[in-house]
Amino acid sequence: MASTFTWTPSKSFSNSNKARVITAQFGDGYSQRIGNGINRFAKTWTLQFTSIGVDTAAEIISFLEDTEGIYPFNWVPPGEAKTYAV
């Protein structure tokens, strides 16, 4: 079971969506596009943490290092009810 990111970022955070697409370019000027994978939309969050102590910052860094960038974890963005597997 995936662990959960429980820290709440400062109010100034943002997210973006980007579709992952593979394009085949043909010699006659035409191209064909297809979605890449079953989760075609890459959702990215940019978080800021202000007014947190050194211990809390160390906990966040340790949590992210433990995932090694390859192990998923759960997160519920502030103001949303949906849980994302990040």
Side-chain angles (χ1 to χ4, degrees):
M1 184 170 154
S3 54
T4 301
F5 187 88
T6 57
W7 299 273
T8 303
S10 302
K11 294 184 189 267
S12 58
F13 74 94
S14 62
N15 68 349
S16 63
N17 294 312
K18 183 176 181 182
R20 289 191 304 256
V21 178
I22 298 172
T23 303
Q25 189 69 44
F26 301 105
D28 56 3
Y30 290 95
S31 63
Q32 181 179 7
R33 298 167 50 97
I34 187 168
N36 185 5
I38 59 172
N39 295 320
R40 295 180 185 134
F41 292 99
K43 195 166 195 69
T44 303
W45 288 274
T46 301
L47 307 179
Q48 288 184 350
F49 295 89
T50 57
S51 302
I52 61 172
V54 174
D55 292 338
T56 302
E59 289 173 7
I60 294 170
I61 291 168
S62 177
F63 179 90
L64 295 173
E65 286 177 346
D66 287 347
T67 68
E68 299 178 9
I70 58 172
Y71 300 110
F73 59 90
N74 297 319
W75 185 56
V76 179
E80 292 190 28
K82 182 178 179 181
T83 300
Y84 291 90
V86 183

